[in-house]
Amino acid sequence: MERLLDVRRLETEQLGPLDLYLQAGELVQITGASGSGKSLLLRALADLDPSSGTVRLMGRDRERIAPTDWRRQVAYVPAETAWWAETVREHFPAGWQPDQAASWLERFSLPEEALDWEIERLSSGERQRLGLLRAFLNRPRILLLDEPTANLDLENTRRIERAVRSYLAETEAGALWVSHDTLQRGRLGGRVLEIRDRRMVA
Amino acid sequence: MSVISLSALDLTLAALLVLALAGLTLWARLAVGRSLLIASVRTVLQLLLVGLVLQTLFDHAQLGWVALMAAVMLLVAGYEVMARQERRFAGIWGYGIGTATMFVSAFAVTVLALTTMVGPSPWWEPQYAIPLLGMLLGNTMTGIALGLDRLTQAVWRERRVIEGRLALGDSWLCATSTMRREAARSGLMPTINAMAAAGVVSLPGMMTGQILAGVAPVEAVKYQILIMFLIAAGTGFGALGAVWLASVRLFDHRSRLRLDRLHPGRR
């Protein structure tokens, strides 16, 4: 079976060379001491930082995909999502589908009015849920989740875990999830990879 | 046209005023007395020197010498632009972006003005070419320095937003549009303000100088209008060009934000 994401000899200034892969629908957790380069790995995969090596998405080489398309398909979601305009809907990607948004709002336990909420007044839980929802609207094939629940209470954490699970089940996308939380590690399950001394340890 | 020549005594009297000011700042413990005196001495030396250089240049009016003088002025202005950046580009780009855009805008506008509007003969006649270029470079320099500084600061401050937008699939152009627009605007503002206030709030220096030298006010005003328009064009094109070049340089071929291409300046 063809791998959804196939990474060979990925190397940046502080990381690698390392290999990893993701199957369709799979969630893989990334752990490692702080400063070991977990975020750097995700940033390199999203092509936000320069890296060498080959990265293939469904058999297609990253270099052959325009950067804007790549990042729509390989969505990076940081621990603190960035917001720049007044209301939530202004941050949605061009061409987003209202029915899709509505369906995800419901699954994130957010009301439909949330689209018109002012960013200033969002709680951190709402920000993270909406940040993830916004990324889902691009229909990415890969989710790169950089401690998306780091600053959240358990209720919001569980909501996000469930939403990601249902996104993967529905779209056959894959996810790399960076987490510090050992309890979360148990809940999420799946393969766990550790970064140590620039390398990947299974 | 007649100019009342200033004697050494006249200048000495003016210098006494500065000395009096220095005395007052000393008494008030403003701690600027020293820099005030140094600045005054620099004024005297630098202006005397440039006076001599210009005199020599006028006496030996040759295209080569005029070009050399213009090149020196450009290189110094380029250095000034770079020195005013808090976060300037690493390597040749730090110096290159400002200098290149100044060369294109200020030089092009000066040459255009000399050949088609003022029309001295030869067109590079130093009496016209050097002051014109000097005024253009001086203003263009400010506009470009402001625009570049504003851009790099904003991009540095907003890097999380820029990368957040890139991560959602926005192009780098889209992710930086507000910052680029504001930077270009801040480069243009001083010139627009100067034009809006010209003659009402302040009498522009060149016009004042010509009137002092005995030129009829209406003639002086015409020159001033010409200069103002040239400065607006030079500064505007320069600032727009510099902001554009700089924002291109801030991203690489995979539209990654490359803040590693900036390094903090002297401040």
Side-chain angles (χ1 to χ4, degrees), chain A residues 43 47-50 62-63 65 67-68 71-72 76 80 82 84 134 138, chain B residues 160-161 163-171 252-258:
Chain A
R43 288 176 54 89
D47 214 2
L48 289 169
D49 286 338
R62 176 166 72 178
E63 297 299 314
I65 302 177
T68 46
R71 294 187 190 119
R72 265 181 227 127
Y76 173 71
E80 255 181 74
W84 54 91
R134 168 176 78 174
N138 274 329
Chain B
R160 231 167 49 83
V161 163
E163 292 197 323
R165 297 187 69 160
L166 291 178
L168 286 167
D170 277 352
S171 66
D252 63 15
H253 68 289
R254 296 289 297 174
S255 336
R256 292 176 286 231
L257 177 60
R258 297 299 297 273

Side-chain angles (χ1 to χ4, degrees), chain A residues 3 5-7 19-23 26 28 176 191 193:
Chain A
R3 288 166 170 177
L5 181 74
D6 195 11
V7 180
D19 297 354
L20 74 107
Y21 68 91
L22 267 179
Q23 307 279 18
E26 192 184 19
V28 170
L176 287 178
R191 275 194 291 149
L193 303 176

Side-chain angles (χ1 to χ4, degrees), chain B residues 113-148:
Chain B
L114 284 170
T115 50
T116 67
M117 301 166 209
V118 185
S121 119
W123 65 267
W124 43 265
E125 171 75 51
Q127 187 197 338
Y128 291 90
I130 296 299
L132 211 56
L133 182 65
M135 281 185 283
L136 270 158
L137 274 179
N139 286 279
T140 311
M141 180 178 87
T142 310
I144 290 178
L146 277 174
L148 281 180

Side-chain angles (χ1 to χ4, degrees), chain B residues 181-219:
Chain B
R181 220 173 287 137
E182 272 172 19
R185 202 180 293 140
S186 67
L188 277 166
M189 273 334 276
T191 311
I192 294 175
N193 289 338
M195 285 205 291
V200 187
V201 183
S202 65
L203 281 184
M206 190 203 69
M207 185 179 120
T208 317
Q210 279 195 321
I211 292 174
L212 280 176
V215 174
V218 176
E219 281 307 309

